């Protein structure tokens, strides 16, 4: 890969990062799954360089075109907001599982098994405040038909829906959190995308469910994992996951504040749990235990004993 091409990409990322309130604190060379060259940019908040996130792009990637540039700019603007979280890597599932996402190997690579899919590998870990060893190694597979609606097979264009597909697959009890094990499949198909509405769809939620979700998010990501620091409750990734909008989430946040369950920060997109919400610790821990039980594989005991009808 020519130095000139890498320099162009670096300049593009630095300019877009600066516009979003970020700085590039480190740049390094990497390799994708197939051995192709990538560039790894470590991004940080300009106002707090202790908070970082890695952006990995194909070394030859050029996002100067209008259709690509706007997506990258939006991704970096969201990243700047997310890096203000005490744990920017953490998300919550509808069943109440706090998870961290990491070790993703961008960009997508073509399947090596002969399947007509693109793959990205990563990991989701249980974050319950007790340094749990439970995790799931993930192989998220995207069909070529689905790939047609994605402008580029790079991190800024896919990270959101891949994380939400992992959460959805967990909601369905099709991913297990284990102490060790092989990669588990996360299929990403056109069922997650509405051609008519031109948007991703993962869950159909109502206001009551969104209130429960955001309250639990404040409890876990701020109260338990974040040392009481404000957490971003208007994350567009959550809006996508809940088939909602940021405006609808804003109304939900206001309702929770009105009920005395959260305390809004100076930036009202962020909030902390109140003492009243933290008083529901036993309830949230019970929901977590039930969610872990739900995703645990079960066996037909009669078949195990040889009582089959075959």
């Amino acid at each position: 890969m020519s130095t000139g091409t890498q320099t162009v990409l670096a300049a593009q990322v630095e300019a877009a990062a600066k516009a979003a309130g970020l700085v590039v604190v480190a740049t390094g060379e990497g390799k994708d799954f197939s051995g192709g060259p990538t560039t790894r940019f470590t991004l940080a908040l300009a106002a707090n360089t202790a908070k970082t996130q890695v952006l990995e792009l194909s070394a030859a990637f050029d996002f100067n075109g209008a259709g690509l540039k706007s997506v990258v700019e939006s991704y970096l603007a969201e990243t700047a907001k997310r890096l203000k979280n005490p744990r920017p890597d953490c998300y919550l599932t509808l069943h109440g599982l706090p998870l961290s996402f990491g070790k993703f190997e961008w960009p997508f690579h073509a399947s090596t098994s002969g399947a007509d899919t693109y793959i990205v590998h990563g990991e989701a870990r249980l974050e319950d405040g007790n340094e749990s060893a439970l995790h799931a190694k993930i192989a998220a597979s995207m069909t070529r038909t689905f790939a047609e609606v994605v402008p580029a097979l790079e991190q800024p264009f896919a990270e959101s829906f891949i994380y939400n597909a992992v959460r959805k697959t967990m909601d369905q009890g099709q991913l297990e959190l284990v102490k060790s094990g092989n990669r588990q499949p996360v299929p990403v198909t056109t069922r997650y995308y509405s051609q008519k509405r031109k948007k991703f769809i993962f869950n159909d939620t109502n206001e009551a469910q969104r209130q429960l979700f955001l309250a639990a998010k404040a409890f876990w990501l701020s109260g338990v994992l974040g040392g009481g620091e404000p957490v971003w409750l208007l994350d567009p990734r959550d809006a996508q996951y809940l088939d909602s909008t940021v405006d609808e989430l804003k109304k939900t946040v206001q309702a929770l504040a009105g009920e005395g369950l959260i305390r809004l920060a100076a930036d009202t997109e962020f909030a902390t749990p109140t003492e009243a919400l933290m008083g529901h610790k036993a309830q949230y821990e019970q929901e977590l235990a039930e969610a872990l039980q739900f995703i645990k594989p079960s066996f037909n005991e009669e078949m195990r004993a040889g009582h089959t009808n075959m």
Side-chain angles (χ1 to χ4, degrees):
M1 182 56 55
S2 69
T3 302
T5 301
Q6 291 177 318
T7 301
V8 169
L9 178 61
Q12 289 177 343
V13 171
E14 288 174 4
K18 182 178 180 180
L22 300 167
V23 292
V24 178
V25 296
T27 304
E29 296 181 359
K31 291 184 178 180
D32 63 21
F33 184 85
S34 303
T38 65
T39 304
R40 295 170 58 87
F41 301 94
T42 302
L43 306 175
L45 287 172
N48 180 6
T49 55
K51 297 281 188 73
T52 63
Q53 177 182 313
V54 173
L55 171 65
E56 185 168 13
L57 298 168
S58 298
F61 183 58
D62 182 349
F63 60 85
N64 197 42
L68 301 180
K69 186 178 180 182
S70 62
V71 176
V72 175
E73 290 174 341
S74 177
Y75 172 85
L76 293 175
E78 287 183 17
T79 297
K81 285 277 190 181
R82 205 168 285 117
L83 281 174
K84 294 178 181 179
N85 282 328
R87 285 291 305 270
D89 58 334
C90 287
Y91 297 81
L92 188 75
T93 73
L94 273 173
H95 286 180
L97 288 172
L99 302 173
S100 64
F101 290 88
K103 299 183 179 180
F104 276 78
E105 302 169 359
W106 300 101
F108 285 91
H109 63 270
S111 172
T112 57
S113 65
D116 197 23
T117 56
Y118 295 104
I119 309 290
V120 65
H121 291 161
E123 183 177 282
R125 302 193 70 89
L126 178 67
E127 299 289 349
D128 60 358
N130 296 314
E131 299 184 359
S132 173
L134 295 178
H135 67 282
K137 294 179 180 178
I138 293 160
S141 60
M142 179 173 62
T143 64
R144 291 183 181 268
T145 301
F146 189 97
E148 293 176 1
V149 306
V150 183
L153 302 183
E154 304 281 345
Q155 183 177 352
F157 302 85
E159 189 176 75
S160 179
F161 70 76
I162 288 297
Y163 284 11
N164 284 340
V166 172
R167 286 198 276 183
K168 177 67 175 181
T169 307
M170 195 77 73
D171 291 333
Q172 295 170 324
Q174 296 174 1
L175 272 178
E176 183 186 10
L177 294 171
V178 295
K179 293 183 178 179
S180 64
N182 297 324
R183 293 198 182 277
Q184 301 177 57
V186 174
V188 185
T189 68
T190 50
R191 65 178 176 168
Y192 290 141
Y193 187 80
S194 170
Q195 287 285 0
K196 183 178 180 179
R197 299 168 62 187
K198 302 298 181 184
K199 64 178 292 188
F200 294 96
I201 298 174
F202 293 95
N203 295 289
D204 181 17
T205 61
N206 56 35
E207 173 61 15
Q209 289 171 311
R210 291 191 288 272
Q211 286 192 24
L212 292 172
F213 176 86
L214 289 184
K217 178 176 179 176
F219 173 86
W220 283 111
L221 274 59
S222 173
V224 176
L225 301 174
E229 293 182 31
V231 66
W232 191 24
L233 295 184
L234 300 187
D235 191 333
R237 288 188 182 174
D238 287 337
Q240 182 188 83
Y241 175 59
L242 301 171
D243 193 20
S244 181
T245 66
V246 170
D247 285 340
E248 287 176 333
L249 293 186
K250 186 179 297 185
K251 294 177 182 177
T252 303
V253 167
Q254 292 169 347
L256 291 173
E259 293 175 13
L261 295 175
I262 61 172
R263 187 177 296 110
L264 298 180
D267 181 344
T268 56
E269 294 187 12
F270 290 74
T272 58
T274 62
E275 293 77 7
L277 181 59
M278 294 306 295
H280 293 282
K281 181 173 184 274
Q283 171 193 330
Y284 286 120
E285 290 179 343
Q286 178 62 31
E287 290 176 357
L288 174 61
E290 292 173 355
L292 289 174
Q293 186 61 35
F294 173 70
I295 64 174
K296 186 177 180 180
S298 59
F299 300 92
N300 186 313
E301 294 300 327
E302 288 192 354
M303 291 186 68
R304 189 202 298 268
H307 301 152
T308 68
N309 227 358
M310 299 175 64

